[in-house]
Amino acid sequence: MADVLVLVDKSDGAVKKSTTELLTLARRIGTPVAVWVGPAPDATALGVLGEFGAASVLVADADGITASPVAPVADALAAAVAQTSPSAVLVASTAEGKEAAGRLALKIGGGIITDAVDVSADLVATQSVFGGSTVVHSTVSNGTPVITVRGNSIAPEAAAT
């Protein structure tokens, strides 16, 4: 299975629920690889990432990397994409997440899908639009797909191993 990069959404070093949702989704698509931007995670954070299926964790840390919330994240993700050649990149659908995802898609020449509520194994994203009255299925036709996923759309499930 190909790697699926998951940007770790965190607060004060603690992994947020949205990351556990993304890792659960990533396991359906391939092998989850967590991307942690900032000072290295502690044992508790690494435990959560492992519990929800992260096969590995890439850490991007440098002086001033957390000074700007978006540009360094896009740069770190682009470096991770170059290193791993993933089948997709999953990001929480927050304001910062969407901006970082858009910048990443431009950097790597990939396509972006925002506000997905599900993604199938063949990388078809499901989006609920117009207040839920319409369901759309989307794919990226060029490059690595960068997909932002709405919070609370995937039930987080701990990995079997």
Side-chain angles (χ1 to χ4, degrees):
M1 291 183 121
D3 289 340
V4 177
L5 295 181
V6 172
L7 177 63
V8 176
D9 191 16
K10 59 192 180 323
S11 176
D12 296 325
V15 176
K16 289 187 173 181
K17 179 184 173 214
S18 58
T19 300
T20 62
E21 294 169 359
L22 293 176
L23 289 168
T24 299
L25 179 59
R27 289 196 325 263
R28 295 187 211 161
I29 301 168
T31 303
V33 175
V35 179
W36 182 284
V37 179
D42 62 18
T44 302
L46 286 173
V48 171
L49 296 174
E51 177 185 353
F52 286 90
S56 60
V57 178
L58 302 176
V59 178
D61 187 18
D63 290 337
I65 200 162
T66 56
S68 170
V70 177
V73 171
D75 291 341
L77 283 171
V81 167
Q83 180 180 340
T84 62
S85 300
S87 60
V89 179
L90 301 179
V91 179
S93 200
T94 62
E96 288 177 358
K98 288 180 194 178
E99 184 176 346
R103 288 177 184 227
L104 172 64
L106 286 171
K107 286 178 180 293
I108 65 172
I112 184 167
I113 297 173
T114 59
D115 293 327
V117 295
D118 197 10
V119 180
S120 67
D122 57 353
L123 300 177
V124 175
T126 302
Q127 296 162 288
S128 178
V129 296
F130 301 120
S133 65
T134 304
V135 173
V136 177
H137 299 284
S138 308
T139 60
V140 169
S141 59
N142 193 19
T144 302
V146 180
I147 304 169
T148 70
V149 180
R150 276 191 200 160
N152 298 316
S153 58
I154 306 294
E157 298 172 6
T161 58

